[in-house]
Each structure stands twice: as C-alpha cells, then as structure tokens.
Amino acid sequence: MHPLPHDTSRDDDDGFHEECGVFGVWNATDAAALTALGLHALQHRGQEAAGVVTLSEPGKFHAHRGLGLVGDIFGDAKVMAGLKGRCAVGHNRYATTGETALRNVQPLFADFEFGGLAVAHNGNLTNATTLKRALVRRGCIFQATSDSEVFIHLIAISLYASVVDRLIDALKQVQGAYSLVGLHDGAMIGARDPMGVRPLVLGRIGGEGGAYVLASETCALDIVSADFVRDIEPGEIVVIDNNGLRSIKPFGRTQNRFCIFEYIYFARPDSVVEGTPVYTTRKLIGQELARESHVDADVVVPVPDSGVPAAMGYATEAKIPFELGIIRNHYVGRTFIEPTDQIRHLGVKLKHSANKPMIEGKRVILVDDSIVRGTTSKKIVEMVRQAGAKEVHMRISSPPTTHSCFYGIDTPERSKLLAANHDVEEMARIIGADSLAFISLNGLYRALGRDGRDSANPGYCDACFTGDYAIPLTDLVDHPERMPALLAANGQ
Ligand code: SF4
C-alpha cells in the first residue's frame, strides 16, 4: 500500500511507517524548486514535515521548514522566492525519533567556526542516547529531540580542521542506519552508513558538467529529469564541489545490509534501488509466493496500493484472473476523527471499498505486503466476506514480521506484532481468513535473485523477520530505560 501523499489505506497504528526522504542539488538554476519537486516525489517517505536550506553565496544560507506536506509548505511563491541560490538540501520527515515539532524539522543548520552547515538525514542512530549523554557532560546543549542534532554536536567538537574531516570523525562515532546530505559553503556532501541500510542515489542534470543531485530514491531523480548515475555505496562519503565529485571511504569493509523492506513496501514502485527495479521485484515476489502457497481460487485481488504488483505476479504464476476487487479512496485524511468504536469500525470502509461484482460468490485470494498488528487485515477480510466472497485466502508478500525495526522505520513494539505472538494458523483465525500464508525468507531472497538466505552474509537487513540485528542496538543494551522512549518515539 504505497500511495501519495500519505498511505491512509491502513489504520494509522497498524503498519510500517516510512522513514524519511533526503534530496540535495549542487549548482543548478532553481535549486530550491528542484529540491521541493524531489521532496514531493519522496513524499511517501515522510509526511509530517519538510524543510529546504539553500546557499546563494558563501556564508549566505536561506531556510524554510514547515509541518505538513511538501506541496503545502513550498506551494507559496513568496517562500520559494526567498530560497535563493544554486545549491540546496532538503528533507521529508517522518518522526521516528523526537516529537513532531518545528525545531525538529530538518535540515538542521548550525554556524561553526568553519562556516555554516545544513544537515539532513534519513534513518536512526542506535547509540544516540549514549552519545547525547557524553555530549551533555561536555557542555553541549540540545535544542531538538531528534537524533540529527547528534551529528551537529559531534562535528562542532571535533578537533579536525576541515568540515569533511570533522564529518568523518562524527560518523566514526555514530552507530545506526542513515543516509545523509549536507551543505556548507564550499560543497554538498552525501553519506551512507557503513552497511548501507538506507538508500541514497546520485544523479546528474544536464550530463557531464551539469548539476549533481543526491536523493533517497530514483523516483526523485526522474521528477527533476536527472539521469541516474549510481548508488552511493555503503560507507561512502561523496563531496561535491565546483571541481566535481570526490569519493571517500573512511570505514573498514563490512557486510552490506540494505533494508529488504524497501523492495516489499517502502520504496516507490517506479524507483530502482540497488540496481533492481522495485516494481519488477514485487511481481517476482508475488510469483514466488504463488509457487509456495498455491490454493484453488477464482480471483486474485490486491490490497491496494502496494499489494498490487505482488498480486499481479501471483495471478500470473497461479494462472488465476487478477481483479481490482478492492478500491481505495485516496482522499481520506489521516486526521479523520473517529470518536466512537462504531465510527472507528467504519474507518476501513472509508479507506477501502469492496468492488462487489468482482468478489461475490468467488473464492478470493487477497494479496497484501505485510501484517503488522493485524487490525487492518481483519477488517479487509471481513469486508470481502460481506461483499459475498465464498472463501477468503490471505497471501502476504513478506515473511512474518516478528521483530521491531530500530533502523529508522516506525514499527510497533514486539508485543503488538501479531506474528511475534501467534503462529500462522492462529493469525488466520484472528484475521478471519480461510487460509493465510507468508512468503518464506528463502523465497524472498530467491525473488531477489539469490539461491536463498545465506545466514553468514545475507546481503540485506531482514531483522524485522529474523531478529538478526547487524548494527548493535547500543542504547537498548546500555540504557534499557531508553526502551520505552524508543518505543514511544516509534509511535507506541
Ligand atoms: S529491521 Fe526491517 S524495516 Fe528495519 S531496516 Fe531492517 S529490514 Fe528494514
């Protein structure tokens, strides 16, 4: 289910929420407008807030940040006119840490002895509390509650001379998953964490000699007519200035652990991530799912929107007709007030409607991307039955979600995850389906072109299915008291 501007297709507390999107452009006319467009294409990664910082001449930065959607924040000609300059960085925020308040909206900006620096990042630091405590002991004052400020303080106290060396110094101290864009007087900087959990791509407008673009996904390059150049590599820092691009790899070699959920749900289907088109991969996952969990049925119906490509793949492989048996209403605001249980129960019907003629009297296979708490699945199964389905079989294009994500994706705590507490048969009973099946972990890896999951080196982060957290969860180990705060920050 992956629409724009916000995925209102699930209950707000029943789903994975996207993390954040970053965008940057170096040396282009209308840099602010290009950045606003890029952020608009990345709106699915964060809808709470957005910000843009531009640079018009050395030392002269301009910023605008706001709460809400990109179109609302940057739709004002006066705002755009104030964002002067040929270089800009921007950020879409989903509040994974820190409450949604204007002071938390990125890019964060600070004046240092070497000049101004704007920083925006996507992801989550797993040792932020540990670092913050040490920094506060050294006299640092935190203005915001988000982890992003940790970068700023680490850069400020670094003893290195250049901004790039200071950034490297800072990044060597943080643990976690992040993609980062920064802008200072002389350069735009992009960086990915050593395991490359979160995505970041490089593009160019106008070919060789043209403008450089950094973005979370290729769909943001497409909207500004930038050509895709390459992914920023795990652990790579790129420094882009008027002399071109310089690549630095200051970290030792580690395993690549790109977030496998980007393929299943987060990334926009028209994006290409890590060299693999998301749309095609979702169809392949659906095919694999059909091979693994065949059931006789009359029709395959996706739970829109992000279940659609997997359902297409499933239908092709199973040779069962594909129909849009559920129609999604794209215009339901997430703040719709549902004051009573009765009205709350009606909620799902505001978001989805059964397309009755496609369902009535039929054995239906529903294809969705994940089950988190299960409340949305239960309502959808119920709705499809009410529309006259003879049988309802639920097929899920991810393995059971048994663990929370601490790498920048907003997930419920483990005790609230249906798959962490029930086996598949119990889950089928709870959501009211005649049968339920998830793609296997090996099946998911096969759909990604592997022979299966290599547990010694999976190549992807899949911790929410396996509990194999490759990046240490330092704050949870060193500061168990932070657990409730972390979970609260994750929307609990
Ligand atoms: S835990 Fe899951 S959602 Fe989080 S980064 Fe890993 S694969 Fe992605």
Side-chain angles (χ1 to χ4, degrees):
M1 302 184 201
H2 212 162
L4 289 171
H6 174 69
D7 186 348
T8 52
S9 56
R10 285 180 188 276
D11 292 358
D12 280 343
D13 64 349
D14 180 30
F16 279 71
H17 289 290
E18 300 81 0
E19 50 303 42
C20 298
V22 294
F23 189 91
V25 59
W26 180 264
N27 197 20
T29 314
D30 288 336
L34 294 173
T35 305
L37 281 170
L39 294 179
H40 174 68
L42 298 171
Q43 188 77 83
H44 56 286
R45 300 185 78 86
Q47 300 87 32
E48 254 75 357
V52 171
V53 173
T54 63
L55 173 70
S56 57
E57 55 189 270
K60 202 138 200 197
F61 291 87
H62 313 268
H64 185 74
R65 305 173 185 85
L67 301 178
L69 300 177
V70 174
D72 299 330
I73 300 166
F74 297 102
D76 182 339
K78 268 209 307 238
V79 165
M80 296 310 289
L83 292 170
K84 297 181 178 50
R86 297 178 62 83
C87 307
V89 288
H91 186 261
N92 274 344
R93 175 172 171 77
Y94 182 84
T96 48
T97 60
E99 83 272 17
T100 301
L102 211 43
R103 67 198 159 99
N104 276 324
V105 178
Q106 301 184 43
L108 293 185
F109 178 82
D111 265 318
F112 299 95
E113 51 188 294
F114 56 78
L117 175 68
V119 178
H121 90 283
N122 156 32
N124 199 44
L125 304 184
T126 54
N127 67 339
T129 301
T130 311
L131 289 171
K132 267 186 196 172
R133 285 192 181 169
L135 287 164
V136 167
R137 272 199 300 273
R138 293 187 58 164
C140 297
I141 296 167
F142 280 81
Q143 313 233 332
T145 52
S146 80
D147 290 350
S148 325
E149 218 177 338
V150 171
F151 289 116
I152 297 281
H153 282 295
L154 290 173
I155 291 167
I157 62 166
S158 173
L159 299 175
Y160 286 89
S162 79
V163 60
V164 174
D165 287 339
R166 283 171 179 244
L167 177 68
I168 292 170
D169 189 27
L171 294 182
K172 282 188 170 167
Q173 296 171 67
V174 304
Q175 293 171 339
Y178 57 82
S179 282
L180 174 149
V181 292
L183 182 65
H184 79 103
D185 276 354
M188 176 167 78
I189 301 169
R192 260 180 104 184
D193 69 77
M195 292 196 169
V197 177
R198 306 262 71 94
L200 189 64
V201 296
L202 176 72
R204 289 202 86 166
I205 302 172
E208 205 54 40
Y212 282 96
V213 180
L214 291 168
S216 293
E217 289 183 36
T218 58
C219 64
L221 300 183
D222 297 338
I223 199 171
V224 298
S225 298
D227 297 320
F228 169 73
V229 176
R230 63 176 177 87
D231 289 283
I232 303 301
E233 289 175 31
E236 182 182 11
I237 297 173
V238 290
V239 182
I240 295 160
D241 59 21
N242 290 338
N243 297 319
L245 180 144
R246 183 158 59 97
S247 166
I248 308 165
K249 292 180 184 156
F251 310 108
R253 212 50 227 123
T254 56
Q255 288 189 357
N256 287 3
R257 291 288 188 127
F258 182 66
C259 168
I260 208 163
F261 230 119
E262 292 278 354
Y263 290 110
I264 297 163
Y265 172 64
F266 301 133
R268 229 171 72 164
D270 54 333
S271 281
V272 178
V273 289
E274 300 281 293
T276 307
V278 174
Y279 181 79
T280 313
T281 304
R282 286 187 188 158
K283 281 172 81 172
L284 291 171
I285 292 172
Q287 288 177 12
E288 189 66 38
L289 180 60
R291 282 193 285 275
E292 287 186 347
S293 61
H294 182 79
V295 58
D296 288 333
D298 304 310
V299 64
V300 174
V301 170
V303 178
D305 285 323
S306 64
V308 174
M312 289 167 75
Y314 193 106
T316 308
E317 183 67 25
K319 300 190 175 50
I320 297 172
F322 168 94
E323 297 291 355
L324 296 177
I326 298 173
I327 306 298
R328 198 171 82 76
N329 184 347
H330 289 252
Y331 302 101
V332 181
R334 68 179 320 209
T335 52
F336 194 89
I337 301 160
E338 299 171 351
T340 65
D341 276 357
Q342 203 186 352
I343 298 291
R344 201 188 309 278
H345 188 67
L346 284 176
V348 74
K349 291 195 187 136
L350 293 170
K351 295 166 183 171
H352 294 112
S353 303
N355 187 3
K356 212 167 169 184
M358 296 300 115
I359 286 173
E360 200 166 16
K362 294 185 178 162
R363 297 168 299 168
V364 176
I365 296 174
L366 285 178
V367 179
D368 202 354
D369 52 72
S370 55
I371 293 182
V372 181
R373 292 177 194 243
T375 50
T376 305
S377 308
K378 187 170 187 281
K379 287 177 187 175
I380 284 178
V381 169
E382 202 175 291
M383 184 182 74
V384 171
R385 280 205 198 280
Q386 277 172 5
K390 236 175 17 189
E391 292 171 20
V392 183
H393 303 277
M394 188 69 131
R395 295 292 179 267
I396 304 295
S397 63
S398 64
T401 302
T402 50
H403 291 72
S404 304
C405 175
F406 296 100
Y407 302 146
I409 306 299
D410 180 18
T411 41
E413 64 176 285
R414 262 199 102 186
S415 66
K416 305 259 171 47
L417 296 172
L418 199 65
N421 301 292
H422 301 279
D423 65 23
V424 175
E425 239 170 71
E426 284 169 352
M427 289 172 75
R429 212 168 33 249
I430 290 167
I431 66 168
D434 293 291
S435 77
L436 168 67
F438 295 80
I439 193 168
S440 68
L441 202 54
N442 282 328
L444 177 58
Y445 277 84
R446 278 196 296 274
L448 284 162
R450 309 271 171 127
D451 292 335
R453 184 180 194 266
D454 172 1
S455 56
N457 186 5
Y460 294 98
C461 176
D462 54 17
C464 45
F465 311 128
T466 59
D468 177 9
Y469 293 103
I471 301 172
L473 304 177
T474 303
D475 284 344
L476 295 189
V477 176
D478 293 352
H479 303 278
E481 77 284 0
R482 181 162 146 77
M483 186 66 160
L486 256 180
L487 296 173
N490 276 348
Q492 306 311 303

